Amino acid sequence: MKWGVVTFPGSNCDHDCIYVLKELFHQDVQSLWYKETNLKGLDAVILPGGFSYGDYLRVGAMAAQAPMMKEVISFSKKGGLVLGICNGFQILTESGLLPGALLRNTSLKFMCDTVELSVSNANAKFTNRYTKNQKISMPIAHADGNYFIDSEGLKKLQDQDQILFRYTQNPNGSVDDIAGICNEAGNVLGLMPHPERVCEDVLGGEDGRALFESMMS
Amino acid sequence: MLVKVYITLKPSVLDPQGKTVQKSLENLGFKDVKDVRVGKYIEVQLSDTLKKEEAQKQIQKMCERLLANTVIENYSFHI
């Protein structure tokens, strides 16, 4: 499978993703600069974590307007897999690929912790290697992870099983304990926790592996 | 031409920052504070040759596309 990992100015988890895919999963990975506009031949694109454009205006707002995002949008419309992690999730909501928005944590604090998640839907393209209601742990590191959507939008997410991951103990005030959601078509996932940081026991866990394995299956 | 743009959180969106500022004001002794919500104020300088109508159109587009996130925010502007 061919992967691209986008680097925006201020991304800082891009190399973690590249490392995991290349060294642990032996995948064909290329690094994509945010000004590039060529995603030809790729099967999946990752928008990594970080602080793109210094979080100016709103988290993810500037990156959502970067040249690369036009391509990512049309790539997703053609069915390409798009995974947004942390700041990548924020970019996906800002660009309209995912509904809702990410607000400041209710504590107003930057949270750096390991949290427990429950896999709410294990039939999705991104979760088929997990089991439903499986408890997994993943690190979070964010100030703006408080997922917001209006009640109508939330009902739609629930009815269409688009909520893939929920926190078992809500750390940031997210509506319905949401940690990660996918789009209606099921080929775009955004989540606040960092699966790429838990792919090796030596780094604290392997619960993130199944997410990448699901995408490859 | 100076355009003043005001971005505010929609009433349905909780504003923990506003709540914290409110608490601090109360701690300072301002006992009459009932609510505080924090927003953004942006100044945009547009070319002076622009007609007001065209300026309005452009600013509206700017707000919709970048300055505000209409999922969570309302905007208004003054030319």
Side-chain angles (χ1 to χ4, degrees), chain B residues 3-67:
Chain B
V3 186
K4 299 175 175 181
V5 183
Y6 303 91
I7 316 276
T8 52
L9 276 177
K10 285 186 176 174
S12 57
V13 178
L14 289 175
D15 180 13
Q17 198 181 178
K19 280 275 169 276
T20 308
V21 174
Q22 179 185 346
K23 283 233 174 71
S24 285
L25 288 173
E26 286 166 4
N27 290 342
L28 286 170
F30 296 101
K31 298 298 180 200
D32 295 322
V33 178
K34 282 176 68 185
D35 194 21
V36 175
R37 293 178 71 78
V38 177
K40 290 190 192 97
Y41 167 66
I42 301 172
E43 290 185 342
V44 180
Q45 291 284 355
L46 286 178
S47 154
D48 287 325
T49 55
L50 219 55
K51 285 198 178 118
K52 197 174 169 185
E53 222 168 65
E54 177 57 24
Q56 267 173 345
K57 257 190 209 160
Q58 285 195 21
I59 283 289
Q60 188 149 359
K61 270 191 195 152
M62 290 179 205
C63 288
E64 293 282 340
R65 291 197 52 192
L66 180 65
L67 299 182

Side-chain angles (χ1 to χ4, degrees), chain A residues 117-187:
Chain A
L117 304 175
S118 174
V119 180
S120 301
N121 171 0
N123 292 321
K125 183 63 200 156
F126 297 91
T127 53
N128 56 62
R129 292 296 174 97
Y130 293 106
T131 52
K132 190 171 165 67
N133 297 326
Q134 185 181 343
K135 302 290 183 286
I136 56 175
S137 59
M138 274 191 204
I140 54 165
H142 61 247
D144 300 81
N146 176 359
Y147 182 76
F148 172 84
I149 191 163
D150 59 24
S151 49
E152 204 178 304
L154 177 63
K155 189 163 182 308
K156 215 170 150 192
L157 288 180
Q158 292 164 336
D159 291 349
Q160 298 180 141
D161 240 354
Q162 287 173 250
I163 303 167
L164 305 193
F165 299 102
R166 283 188 172 90
Y167 302 107
T168 56
Q169 285 182 304
N170 195 331
N172 52 26
S174 279
V175 163
D176 198 21
D177 302 326
I178 287 174
I181 56 163
C182 68
N183 63 344
E184 276 186 68
N187 65 322

